[in-house]
Every structure is written in structure tokens, then in C-alpha cells.
């Protein structure tokens, strides 16, 4: 008999069945997200080939390191202010909404590498949201006063200099973790604990190339990986259940 495996090369049907079975027994669910989660909202990812990803357009050694920032403050500031404006102008997509709705059935913790706050904006319950790479916005390098992105964008047109702390007058910086910097301690510890405690970790839209975040899902008992690129599942864990496709479409089927 002729094989029909070629019609479902990623074994989506079988993997959906396995993923649904896992979720049917789960209580604690972690959703671990990367830039692909927000791609359908119109925000670029960092390293997708051929899609105008950020690190293909600008040099991360300038735009995502303290040395790059100190040597090129004006262009780095301009880029981040543009990015923050873009992030406040877009909306959470169906994928964010479906992630938020998971908390109706499970005890959900969202661990995100994203700084766009779209999980917060899609929130419908009291799920915990942990930011590994910072919340975005700006932070004073002296007194640690923070100004979140949404507030920053409301006062951007006024006579306001984001580079100087409104409280103590010292220099500020984008509230983002750059290469070579430690992740914030408390979010990291909470993320590790959530991974150990969860029954299932759903990983969505990350290439798994940036440590230490990339190693977190391996702490979970079981992983469901959602990604448009089949090759990016493999970096997470060898035994993940893989669902290849857009986050919103895969989540719709997974949660129906
Ligand atoms: P990447 O750009 O490295 O990876 C994005 C992933 O999302 C890729 O694996 C894509 O295949 C996948 N993807 C794209 N569109 C998708 C969609 N609609 N549905 C599902 N998957 C999709 O982004 P991250 O892994 O998040 O750090 O990058 C990690 C960190 O690298 C970022 O937090 C950032 C960057 O340097 C900092 O800026 C500190």
C-alpha cells in the first residue's frame, strides 16, 4: 500500500494527539516564549533567516552590549526608542490570547524572553509572567528607577530626555539584558522553580540559541515545542513533542 506519510511530514496528527494527552493530565503548565510568539503581531524576530530579523539588520555587538551602548549611545538610544514605540503600537495576536486562556484550565506560569509586554496586554487571569531579558522601558544606572515602555511612549513627544533619570539626574539605559550581562536573579530563580514544578512546558517561538534561557526547558519533565522551523525544535531537548507551524494556528488546534 502506498505510504501517505509525505502528506504529514512532521507527524502533526500524531504529535497533536500526544500533546493533548499530556495536557489532559497536567495541572501546572509553563509557557516559555521567544520572539516567534510576537511575530504574528508584526514584531521582527532576532535571527530568522530571510525575514528581516533584527540581528540581520543591526549588529548585536553594538545594539545589545554595554560596550556598544557606551561607544554609540545616540544610535543605540534611537534604535531602542523606535523599538519601544513599535512594541506599544502593535496588538497581542491570537497566540497571546490562547496562551492567556490556558489559565482557565491550568495553573500557568509564562516565562518570556520578550520585552514587548504583549503577554501582559493579553492577560485574562492571574497567571504569573516572568521576564528573563528585562521588561523593556528604561532604568536608571544609579537609583534603579524604572520607567515602563508604555509610560515612556506616552511622554515621548513631550520635552523629555530618556537618557537622564527624572529622579536623580544620572544616566539611564534600556531596561533590557544585554549579551555578557547576568539575568536578573529573582526572575531566574522563579523560572527555574517553575520549570521543576511544571507537568508540561510549552515552548513557543524561540531558536534556543541564547543561554542561559535556552537551557531552562530541559529542566521540565515534558516539553511541547511550537515553532515554524522544524530545525529549531531540536535545540531544546531531544524528546520534545514537536508541532511545526505558526504559534496561533498550532495553539488553536492544541486547545480546541
Ligand atoms: P530568535 O529570533 O532567535 O528565534 C525566533 C524563533 O521563532 C525561531 O526559531 C523561528 O523559527 C520562530 N518563529 C518565527 N515566527 C514564528 C511563529 N509565528 N510561530 C512560532 N514560531 C515562530 O528569537 P529568540 O529565541 O526569542 O535577547 O531570541 C532569544 C534572545 O536573543 C532574545 O530575547 C534577544 C536576542 O538576542 C536580548 O535582546 C537580550
Amino acid at each position: 500500500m502506498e505510504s501517505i506519510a509525505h502528506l504529514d511530514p512532521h507527524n502533526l496528527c500524531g504529535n497533536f494527539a500526544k500533546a493533548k494527552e499530556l495536557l489532559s493530565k497536567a495541572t501546572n503548565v509553563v509557557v516559555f516564549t521567544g520572539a516567534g510568539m510576537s511575530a504574528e503581531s508584526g514584531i521582527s524576530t532576532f535571527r530568522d533567516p530571510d525575514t528581516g530579523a533584527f540581528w540581520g539588520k543591526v549588529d548585536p555587538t553594538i545594539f545589545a552590549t554595554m560596550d556598544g551602548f557606551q561607544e554609540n549611545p545616540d544610535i543605540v538610544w534611537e534604535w531602542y526608542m523606535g523599538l519601544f514605540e513599535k512594541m506599544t503600537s502593535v496588538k497581542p495576536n491570537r497566540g497571546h490570547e490562547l496562551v492567556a486562556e490556558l489559565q482557565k484550565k491550568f495553573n500557568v506560569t509564562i516565562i518570556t524572553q520578550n520585552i514587548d509586554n504583549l503577554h501582559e496586554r493579553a492577560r485574562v487571569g492571574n497567571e504569573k509572567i516572568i521576564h528573563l531579558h528585562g521588561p523593556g522601558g528604561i532604568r536608571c544606572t544609579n537609583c534603579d528607577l524604572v520607567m515602563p515602555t508604555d509610560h515612556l511612549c506616552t511622554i515621548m513627544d513631550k520635552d523629555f530626555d530618556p537618557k537622564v533619570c527624572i529622579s536623580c539626574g544620572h544616566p539611564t539605559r534600556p531596561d533590557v539584558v544585554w549579551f555578557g550581562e547576568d539575568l536578573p536573579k529573582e526572575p531566574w530563580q522563579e523560572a527555574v522553580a517553575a520549570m521543576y514544578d511544571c507537568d508540561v512546558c510549552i515552548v513557543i517561538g524561540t531558536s534556543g540559541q541564547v543561554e542561559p534561557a535556552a537551557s531552562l526547558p530541559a529542566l521540565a519533565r515534558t516539553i511541547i515545542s511550537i515553532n515554524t522551523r522544524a530545525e529549531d525544535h531540536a535545540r531544546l531537548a531531544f524528546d520534545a513533542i514537536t508541532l511545526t507551524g505558526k504559534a496561533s494556528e498550532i495553539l488553536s488546534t492544541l486547545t480546541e
Side-chain angles (χ1 to χ4, degrees):
M1 195 206 267
E2 196 188 344
S3 164
I4 56 165
H6 65 283
L7 295 177
D8 187 11
H10 302 299
N11 189 21
L12 267 184
C13 295
N15 289 359
F16 270 123
K18 283 191 224 161
K20 285 183 180 203
E21 165 79 10
L22 263 184
L23 285 173
S24 72
K25 296 177 193 149
T27 303
N28 296 333
V29 171
V30 164
V31 182
F32 177 74
T33 64
M37 181 80 240
S38 301
E40 293 169 74
S41 291
I43 301 178
S44 292
T45 61
F46 289 93
R47 37 184 86 70
D48 274 287
D50 310 323
T51 58
F54 288 133
W55 296 159
K57 287 195 286 199
V58 301
D59 180 353
T61 65
I62 294 176
F63 291 86
T65 66
M66 183 47 97
D67 284 351
F69 175 56
Q70 284 172 338
E71 284 162 26
N72 310 274
D74 291 341
I75 57 164
V76 174
W77 267 117
E78 193 185 339
W79 190 72
Y80 276 98
M81 293 309 275
L83 184 62
F84 293 153
E85 238 178 332
K86 170 81 182 173
M87 287 173 168
T88 42
S89 73
V90 301
K91 293 195 173 73
N93 65 61
R94 184 69 188 134
H96 292 104
E97 289 167 7
L98 290 166
V99 166
E101 284 168 21
L102 288 174
Q103 60 84 37
K104 291 178 185 161
K105 285 193 190 160
F106 309 103
N107 179 18
V108 176
T109 303
I110 298 172
I111 303 173
T112 189
Q113 299 165 87
N114 300 341
I115 59 164
D116 53 37
N117 293 299
L118 291 175
H119 284 302
E120 277 83 353
R121 287 170 55 198
R123 195 183 225 151
V124 292
N126 60 356
E127 66 274 23
K128 191 172 180 62
I129 303 176
I130 298 172
H131 285 267
L132 291 179
H133 291 168
I138 58 175
R139 175 163 50 87
C140 176
T141 55
N142 176 53
C143 72
D144 275 343
L145 182 86
V146 295
M147 190 176 285
T149 306
D150 52 353
H151 187 73
L152 186 62
C153 290
T154 59
I155 59 173
M156 209 121 80
D157 291 338
K158 303 198 179 128
D159 190 15
F160 167 72
D161 182 1
K163 301 179 201 114
V164 179
C165 177
I166 49 165
S167 173
C168 72
H170 279 77
T172 60
R173 57 165 287 174
D175 200 1
V176 175
V177 176
W178 283 326
F179 292 110
E181 296 183 321
D182 290 338
L183 300 195
K185 198 169 171 190
E186 201 176 304
W188 172 253
Q189 288 173 340
E190 288 177 345
V192 169
M195 284 294 181
Y196 281 134
D197 280 352
C198 76
D199 303 302
V200 181
C201 170
I202 307 176
V203 179
I204 308 175
T206 178
S207 62
Q209 292 194 44
V210 176
E211 295 291 357
S215 293
L216 271 177
L219 302 179
R221 281 183 202 101
T222 47
I223 302 173
I224 298 169
S225 173
I226 300 174
N227 201 301
T228 43
R229 280 165 54 85
E231 19 330 14
D232 283 357
H233 294 304
R235 295 200 187 93
L236 295 166
F238 292 113
D239 53 357
I241 297 172
T242 58
L243 298 169
T244 304
K246 288 186 178 177
S248 64
E249 291 167 10
I250 297 287
L251 283 166
S252 306
T253 306
L254 190 60
T255 55
E256 72 192 0

